[in-house]
Amino acid sequence: MRLRILLPLAGLVAFVAALVATFPARVAVAWFAPPQVQAWGVEGSLWNGRAEAVAVSGAGIGGLEWSLHPMSLLTLNPAADIRITRRDGFASARVASSLSGETVQVSGLEAAVALGTLPRRLVPDGVAGQLSAQFPDLRLEKGWPTRAAGRIAVADLQLPGVILTLGPLEFVFAGDTDTPAADVRSAGGPLAVEGTLVLPEPGRWSLDVLLAPGENPPRELVEGLAYVGEAAPGGGRRLQLSGEI
Protein backbone atom coordinates (compact mmCIF):
# COMPACT_ATOMS: atom_id res chain seq x y z
CA MET A 1 0.00 0.00 0.00
CA ARG A 2 2.81 2.39 0.91
CA LEU A 3 4.54 1.72 -2.42
CA ARG A 4 1.30 2.39 -4.32
CA ILE A 5 1.10 5.81 -2.64
CA LEU A 6 4.76 6.73 -3.05
CA LEU A 7 5.00 5.96 -6.75
CA PRO A 8 2.37 8.52 -7.86
CA LEU A 9 3.90 11.05 -5.46
CA ALA A 10 7.35 10.51 -6.93
CA GLY A 11 5.87 10.92 -10.41
CA LEU A 12 4.26 14.21 -9.37
CA VAL A 13 7.53 15.49 -7.95
CA ALA A 14 9.37 14.54 -11.15
CA PHE A 15 6.73 16.28 -13.26
CA VAL A 16 6.93 19.47 -11.19
CA ALA A 17 10.73 19.42 -11.34
CA ALA A 18 10.73 18.97 -15.12
CA LEU A 19 8.17 21.75 -15.57
CA VAL A 20 10.12 24.19 -13.42
CA ALA A 21 13.41 23.28 -15.06
CA THR A 22 12.19 24.11 -18.56
CA PHE A 23 9.69 26.93 -18.02
CA PRO A 24 11.23 30.11 -19.56
CA ALA A 25 12.16 32.76 -17.02
CA ARG A 26 11.04 35.66 -19.24
CA VAL A 27 7.57 34.13 -19.54
CA ALA A 28 7.39 33.55 -15.78
CA VAL A 29 8.33 37.18 -15.07
CA ALA A 30 5.77 38.45 -17.58
CA TRP A 31 3.01 36.27 -16.13
CA PHE A 32 3.68 36.27 -12.39
CA ALA A 33 5.71 39.37 -11.43
CA PRO A 34 3.68 42.03 -9.55
CA PRO A 35 2.87 45.22 -11.51
CA GLN A 36 5.41 47.25 -9.51
CA VAL A 37 8.26 44.92 -10.52
CA GLN A 38 10.05 45.46 -13.84
CA ALA A 39 12.90 43.37 -15.22
CA TRP A 40 15.16 43.61 -18.27
CA GLY A 41 17.51 41.11 -19.90
CA VAL A 42 15.75 38.08 -18.40
CA GLU A 43 17.37 34.74 -19.27
CA GLY A 44 17.28 31.11 -18.17
CA SER A 45 14.42 29.16 -16.66
CA LEU A 46 12.06 29.50 -13.74
CA TRP A 47 14.38 27.09 -11.91
CA ASN A 48 17.65 28.91 -12.61
CA GLY A 49 17.55 32.36 -14.16
CA ARG A 50 18.89 35.87 -14.16
CA ALA A 51 17.89 39.43 -15.01
CA GLU A 52 20.38 42.14 -15.97
CA ALA A 53 18.35 44.77 -14.14
CA VAL A 54 15.34 44.82 -11.82
CA ALA A 55 13.34 47.79 -10.56
CA VAL A 56 10.63 47.92 -7.89
CA SER A 57 8.19 50.83 -8.04
CA GLY A 58 10.63 52.62 -10.35
CA ALA A 59 13.64 52.23 -8.02
CA GLY A 60 16.57 50.27 -9.44
CA ILE A 61 17.56 47.24 -7.36
CA GLY A 62 20.37 45.83 -9.52
CA GLY A 63 21.03 42.61 -11.39
CA LEU A 64 19.34 39.46 -10.08
CA GLU A 65 20.19 35.76 -10.16
CA TRP A 66 18.01 33.05 -8.63
CA SER A 67 17.89 29.30 -8.08
CA LEU A 68 14.46 27.96 -7.16
CA HIS A 69 13.95 24.98 -4.84
CA PRO A 70 11.33 22.85 -6.65
CA MET A 71 10.37 20.84 -3.57
CA SER A 72 9.29 24.07 -1.87
CA LEU A 73 6.46 24.34 -4.39
CA LEU A 74 4.90 21.23 -2.90
CA THR A 75 4.74 22.88 0.54
CA LEU A 76 3.13 26.03 -0.96
CA ASN A 77 6.05 28.11 0.33
CA PRO A 78 8.19 28.84 -2.75
CA ALA A 79 11.86 29.29 -1.80
CA ALA A 80 14.88 30.36 -3.79
CA ASP A 81 18.53 31.30 -3.37
CA ILE A 82 18.99 34.79 -4.78
CA ARG A 83 21.88 37.14 -5.41
CA ILE A 84 21.63 40.84 -6.24
CA THR A 85 24.62 42.62 -7.75
CA ARG A 86 25.06 46.37 -7.97
CA ARG A 87 27.90 48.69 -8.86
CA ASP A 88 28.12 49.71 -5.20
CA GLY A 89 27.56 46.33 -3.54
CA PHE A 90 25.70 43.01 -3.40
CA ALA A 91 23.15 40.98 -1.44
CA SER A 92 22.59 37.23 -1.22
CA ALA A 93 20.11 35.13 0.77
CA ARG A 94 17.63 32.28 0.77
CA VAL A 95 14.09 33.67 0.47
CA ALA A 96 10.84 31.79 1.12
CA SER A 97 7.44 33.36 0.53
CA SER A 98 3.84 32.57 1.35
CA LEU A 99 1.57 32.18 -1.67
CA SER A 100 0.05 35.61 -1.00
CA GLY A 101 3.52 37.17 -0.86
CA GLU A 102 2.62 39.00 2.36
CA THR A 103 4.97 36.91 4.54
CA VAL A 104 8.59 36.49 3.47
CA GLN A 105 11.20 34.54 5.42
CA VAL A 106 14.84 35.43 4.71
CA SER A 107 17.78 33.36 5.96
CA GLY A 108 21.53 33.60 5.49
CA LEU A 109 21.36 37.21 4.31
CA GLU A 110 24.68 38.88 3.56
CA ALA A 111 24.86 42.33 2.00
CA ALA A 112 27.10 45.33 1.45
CA VAL A 113 25.89 48.58 -0.10
CA ALA A 114 26.13 52.37 0.00
CA LEU A 115 23.12 53.64 1.97
CA GLY A 116 22.61 56.70 -0.19
CA THR A 117 21.94 54.59 -3.29
CA LEU A 118 19.05 52.59 -1.79
CA PRO A 119 15.38 53.42 -2.53
CA ARG A 120 13.87 56.20 -0.40
CA ARG A 121 11.34 53.76 1.01
CA LEU A 122 14.20 51.89 2.65
CA VAL A 123 16.52 54.77 3.52
CA PRO A 124 15.16 58.26 4.34
CA ASP A 125 16.46 61.36 2.57
CA GLY A 126 19.67 62.70 4.05
CA VAL A 127 20.94 59.33 5.33
CA ALA A 128 24.26 58.16 3.88
CA GLY A 129 27.11 55.81 4.72
CA GLN A 130 28.54 52.37 3.94
CA LEU A 131 26.53 49.38 5.19
CA SER A 132 27.28 45.69 5.61
CA ALA A 133 24.78 43.21 7.04
CA GLN A 134 24.51 39.58 8.14
CA PHE A 135 21.08 38.23 9.13
CA PRO A 136 20.63 34.51 9.82
CA ASP A 137 16.92 35.15 10.46
CA LEU A 138 14.69 37.90 9.07
CA ARG A 139 10.91 37.85 8.64
CA LEU A 140 8.96 40.43 6.66
CA GLU A 141 5.22 41.05 6.78
CA LYS A 142 3.99 43.13 3.85
CA GLY A 143 7.56 44.27 3.29
CA TRP A 144 8.23 45.34 6.90
CA PRO A 145 10.47 43.51 9.40
CA THR A 146 8.54 41.79 12.19
CA ARG A 147 11.42 39.61 13.42
CA ALA A 148 15.12 40.22 12.98
CA ALA A 149 18.20 38.43 14.26
CA GLY A 150 21.48 39.69 12.89
CA ARG A 151 23.96 42.50 12.67
CA ILE A 152 24.41 45.67 10.65
CA ALA A 153 27.69 47.57 10.52
CA VAL A 154 27.72 51.15 9.24
CA ALA A 155 30.72 53.35 8.50
CA ASP A 156 30.62 57.11 7.97
CA LEU A 157 26.92 57.35 8.90
CA GLN A 158 25.28 60.68 8.11
CA LEU A 159 21.85 61.52 9.57
CA PRO A 160 19.51 64.43 8.78
CA GLY A 161 20.16 67.43 11.03
CA VAL A 162 23.31 65.92 12.56
CA ILE A 163 26.49 67.81 11.73
CA LEU A 164 28.80 64.98 12.84
CA THR A 165 29.60 61.84 10.87
CA LEU A 166 28.93 58.81 13.05
CA GLY A 167 30.73 55.51 13.01
CA PRO A 168 31.85 52.93 12.71
CA LEU A 169 28.64 51.68 14.34
CA GLU A 170 27.04 48.31 14.98
CA PHE A 171 23.31 47.59 15.12
CA VAL A 172 22.74 44.19 16.76
CA PHE A 173 19.24 42.68 16.50
CA ALA A 174 18.60 39.92 19.05
CA GLY A 175 15.49 38.58 17.31
CA ASP A 176 13.73 37.73 20.59
CA THR A 177 10.66 39.99 20.20
CA ASP A 178 8.01 40.72 17.56
CA THR A 179 9.03 44.40 17.63
CA PRO A 180 12.44 44.51 15.98
CA ALA A 181 14.96 46.45 18.04
CA ALA A 182 18.72 46.78 17.93
CA ASP A 183 21.41 47.67 20.42
CA VAL A 184 23.47 50.47 18.88
CA ARG A 185 27.12 50.82 19.82
CA SER A 186 30.30 52.26 18.41
CA ALA A 187 33.01 49.96 17.12
CA GLY A 188 35.90 52.25 17.98
CA GLY A 189 36.70 55.66 16.59
CA PRO A 190 36.58 59.20 17.98
CA LEU A 191 32.85 59.16 18.87
CA ALA A 192 31.38 56.81 21.51
CA VAL A 193 27.77 55.79 20.79
CA GLU A 194 25.38 53.68 22.87
CA GLY A 195 21.60 53.29 22.59
CA THR A 196 18.76 51.60 20.73
CA LEU A 197 17.05 51.57 17.35
CA VAL A 198 13.40 50.44 17.39
CA LEU A 199 11.00 49.63 14.53
CA PRO A 200 7.75 50.05 16.50
CA GLU A 201 5.26 49.64 13.65
CA PRO A 202 5.23 49.41 9.87
CA GLY A 203 6.89 52.42 8.29
CA ARG A 204 8.21 53.95 11.53
CA TRP A 205 11.60 54.01 13.24
CA SER A 206 13.06 55.67 16.33
CA LEU A 207 16.68 56.14 17.43
CA ASP A 208 17.75 56.99 20.99
CA VAL A 209 21.51 57.17 21.61
CA LEU A 210 24.04 58.72 23.96
CA LEU A 211 27.02 60.39 22.31
CA ALA A 212 30.36 61.17 23.95
CA PRO A 213 33.96 61.73 22.89
CA GLY A 214 35.64 58.40 22.14
CA GLU A 215 39.21 57.44 21.34
CA ASN A 216 41.49 60.40 20.58
CA PRO A 217 38.69 62.75 19.49
CA PRO A 218 39.70 65.77 17.41
CA ARG A 219 39.00 69.18 18.88
CA GLU A 220 36.42 69.89 16.17
CA LEU A 221 34.39 66.82 17.20
CA VAL A 222 34.41 67.73 20.90
CA GLU A 223 33.30 71.28 20.10
CA GLY A 224 30.68 70.18 17.57
CA LEU A 225 29.19 67.65 19.98
CA ALA A 226 27.89 70.53 22.08
CA TYR A 227 25.41 71.34 19.30
CA VAL A 228 24.02 67.82 18.88
CA GLY A 229 20.94 66.66 20.79
CA GLU A 230 20.54 67.58 24.46
CA ALA A 231 22.86 67.45 27.47
CA ALA A 232 22.69 64.07 29.24
CA PRO A 233 23.24 63.36 32.94
CA GLY A 234 26.83 62.35 33.57
CA GLY A 235 28.07 64.14 30.47
CA GLY A 236 27.74 63.51 26.79
CA ARG A 237 24.74 64.29 24.60
CA ARG A 238 21.45 62.46 24.09
CA LEU A 239 20.23 62.26 20.50
CA GLN A 240 16.64 61.20 19.76
CA LEU A 241 15.39 60.87 16.20
CA SER A 242 12.28 59.30 14.70
CA GLY A 243 10.68 59.21 11.30
CA GLU A 244 8.66 57.41 8.70
CA ILE A 245 9.76 55.42 5.69
Side-chain angles (χ1 to χ4, degrees), residues 38-183:
Q38 296 176 298
W40 298 269
V42 180
E43 300 176 348
S45 68
L46 180 60
W47 193 332
N48 290 286
R50 62 182 298 273
E52 290 185 4
V54 175
V56 179
S57 299
I61 301 300
L64 173 66
E65 298 178 22
W66 69 86
S67 179
L68 185 66
H69 296 262
M71 290 297 294
S72 67
L73 300 178
L74 300 179
T75 64
L76 303 183
N77 285 285
D81 294 327
I82 66 170
R83 182 174 179 84
I84 296 172
T85 54
R86 302 164 53 93
R87 284 179 293 181
D88 64 316
F90 76 96
S92 63
R94 174 167 294 185
V95 179
S97 173
S98 63
L99 285 182
S100 66
E102 292 188 352
T103 301
V104 176
Q105 179 66 41
V106 181
S107 57
L109 171 64
E110 295 190 6
V113 68
L115 284 173
T117 66
L118 294 176
R120 294 302 91 183
R121 188 184 183 283
L122 299 177
V123 178
D125 286 329
V127 174
Q130 294 293 323
L131 174 149
S132 64
Q134 297 84 36
F135 277 86
D137 182 21
L138 178 63
R139 183 181 66 199
L140 306 176
E141 299 285 350
K142 297 182 179 179
W144 187 256
T146 57
R147 186 178 68 232
R151 172 184 174 274
I152 296 174
V154 181
D156 302 324
L157 177 62
Q158 300 175 30
L159 297 174
V162 180
I163 61 175
L164 300 175
T165 297
L166 308 180
L169 299 177
E170 290 184 333
F171 298 77
V172 180
F173 292 81
D176 53 0
T177 69
D178 287 334
T179 300
D183 291 330

Side-chain angles (χ1 to χ4, degrees), residues 163-164 213 217-228:
I163 61 175
L164 300 175
R219 179 173 58 85
E220 294 81 2
L221 184 148
V222 176
E223 295 175 349
L225 199 58
Y227 299 96
V228 177

Side-chain angles (χ1 to χ4, degrees), residues 167-168 186-193 211-219 221-222 225:
S186 57
L191 184 65
V193 181
L211 308 176
E215 302 173 1
N216 302 316
R219 179 173 58 85
L221 184 148
V222 176
L225 199 58

Side-chain angles (χ1 to χ4, degrees), residues 10-28 31-32 44-49 66 68-71 73-74:
L12 176 61
V13 171
F15 172 76
V16 171
L19 179 63
V20 171
T22 58
F23 197 81
R26 58 183 179 81
V27 177
W31 284 5
F32 305 122
S45 68
L46 180 60
W47 193 332
N48 290 286
W66 69 86
L68 185 66
H69 296 262
M71 290 297 294
L73 300 178
L74 300 179

